[in-house]
Amino acid sequence: MSSEKGTEPLFSKKNKKLITDPLTDNNPVTIQVLGICSALAITVQVNQAIVMSLSVLFVIIMGNLIVSVLRNLIPSRIRIIVQLLVVASLVIIVDQVLAAFLPDLSSKLSVFVGLIITNCIIMGRLEAFAMANKPWPSILDGLGNGLGYGAILIIVAVFRELFGSGTLMGIPIFGNPLPGEESGLYAMGYQNNNMMILPPMALIITGIIIWVQRSRNKALIEEH
Amino acid sequence: MESTLDIFVKAIFSENMIFAYFLGMCSYLAVSKTVKTAVGLGAAVIFVLTVTVPVNYLLENYVLQEGALAWISEDYASLDLSFLAFIMFIAVVASIVQLVEMLVEKFAPALYGALGIFLPLIAVNCSILGGALFMQERQYSTILDATAFSLGSGIGWFIAIVAIAAIREKLRYSNVPGPLRGLGITFIVTGLMGIAFMSFMGIKYGEEVAEDENSTEVTTATTDQQLENK
């Protein structure tokens, strides 16, 4: 680990960059376009998004660590299969833990926990980073990318839950929407935007996040 | 019970892999720059989905499910291996993709030329594993239903990627605001297409097969028209 290098401190500048970069200018979702598959379907409620982010965070950190430890033992011809098996085993652990302790959320997330296996962020980081780096930087890289993924997920979920159901993590924000006993904003005629709950809005919100991010950082703009 | 045709039509339109579940988004966004490559990848997805889902269906029903092993001997009837589903499904998908690649290369070189580079990509396409997991979750009663579902999902995915590729080819000539160019506008256009596809949710699925066939014809006709318009 880091002691092998002796001189490099645990949180050197380079290592800190591993965590902060994916949160902003090298975000796995909005810049590298990875892991969108599972990211959007489970952003209807913030709860689901948080559980999903934590699951991915666990899988990516452990996966990076395991593959990084094994990197000199894995024959390069079968590395993809080995990586898939590592990820699949970790996802089974996550799935069993969720099913045992959070059965409601687990049934809502349905197939999307299983789809963490094919989440391109995880395979991408294993292939691009963990196969070529020592365990400690790999853990940090996993942490950074997992957080970057979670950040986008939670931002999208906040918008969708707030405007779609008028709640955040199940807590009503705008008052009581039940007809006949409206309170808060609903008493003034406010309506929930049911469109937000439908799948297409997740795409449009992500599109807008990309728009905002790229107009703040012109270097990221694509030619076409 | 839903009829096989219902399952098929539903999988194409109202439960479209891309627009309703966002499965396979990564390759959808990465390989949709030109129609030609999109057709190649789309065809490969149809092919692999139609092969892997029935195989996984057999695996699920005769090996993994609780009591599925009863056909070997009564001693195994109480076994429940369903926690192994993820690892088995992904192994099946990866090995079938390898196998299909080798077979296609040997026996259909022309097809290999068209699909070849896309096949390895597909092992990690979420829509393939997603198809298997949905099949597991929905508990289709026969292998025919499962096959209809997988074929329908594949065709739905194909329609989606070809349509977005056609739109992106045209978008190149339009004046999109700088920060939205490329990825951003693709997301928003996909969202708008998704809203259009939501209208298929209104299709009434029922027992009467005759009525169903009518609605199928109508919907395919309209999509063809939409595709042409695009």
Side-chain angles (χ1 to χ4, degrees), chain A residues 35-80:
Chain A
I36 299 155
C37 321
S38 60
L40 299 175
I42 34 79
T43 49
V44 177
Q45 290 174 342
V46 179
N47 279 351
Q48 294 176 21
I50 292 174
V51 170
M52 186 71 182
S53 317
L54 290 179
S55 313
V56 170
L57 199 61
F58 170 77
V59 175
I60 195 169
I61 292 177
M62 292 305 290
N64 261 359
L65 172 66
I66 294 172
V67 170
S68 173
V69 169
L70 295 177
R71 70 186 186 282
N72 296 324
L73 301 173
I74 301 175
S76 71
R77 281 181 66 92
I78 57 160
R79 66 184 191 286
I80 301 282

Side-chain angles (χ1 to χ4, degrees), chain A residues 182-210:
Chain A
E182 290 105 334
S183 64
L185 273 179
Y186 295 100
M188 293 183 256
Y190 175 81
Q191 291 279 326
N192 281 331
N193 184 353
N194 287 331
M195 189 82 164
M196 283 299 207
I197 300 178
L198 298 177
M201 281 315 283
L203 288 165
I204 294 179
I205 293 172
T206 317
I208 293 170
I209 292 174
I210 294 172

Side-chain angles (χ1 to χ4, degrees), chain B residues 10-30:
Chain B
K10 221 183 206 173
I12 300 183
F13 296 108
S14 51
E15 288 176 357
N16 187 291
M17 279 275 188
I18 295 264
F19 298 126
Y21 299 110
F22 315 104
L23 297 184
M25 279 307 259
C26 307
S27 23
Y28 169 84
L29 292 168

Side-chain angles (χ1 to χ4, degrees), chain A residues 30 33 35-37 41 92 95-96 110-111 114-115 117-118 120 195 198-200 203 210-211 214-215 221-223, chain B residues 19 21-23 25-26 29 83 86-87 126 129-130 133-134 137 178-183 187 190-191 194-195 198:
Chain A
T30 59
V33 212
I36 299 155
C37 321
I92 290 178
D95 185 54
Q96 297 287 312
S110 74
V111 301
L115 286 171
I117 299 172
T118 47
C120 335
M195 189 82 164
L198 298 177
L203 288 165
I210 294 172
W211 189 359
R214 292 190 182 182
S215 43
I221 293 176
E222 288 173 49
E223 266 313 300
Chain B
F19 298 126
Y21 299 110
F22 315 104
L23 297 184
M25 279 307 259
C26 307
L29 292 168
F83 67 93
F86 295 157
I87 214 164
C126 328
L129 185 65
L133 293 175
F134 273 127
E137 193 189 62
L180 260 184
R181 250 176 240 161
L183 191 59
F187 266 101
T190 309
I195 293 174
M198 303 243 89

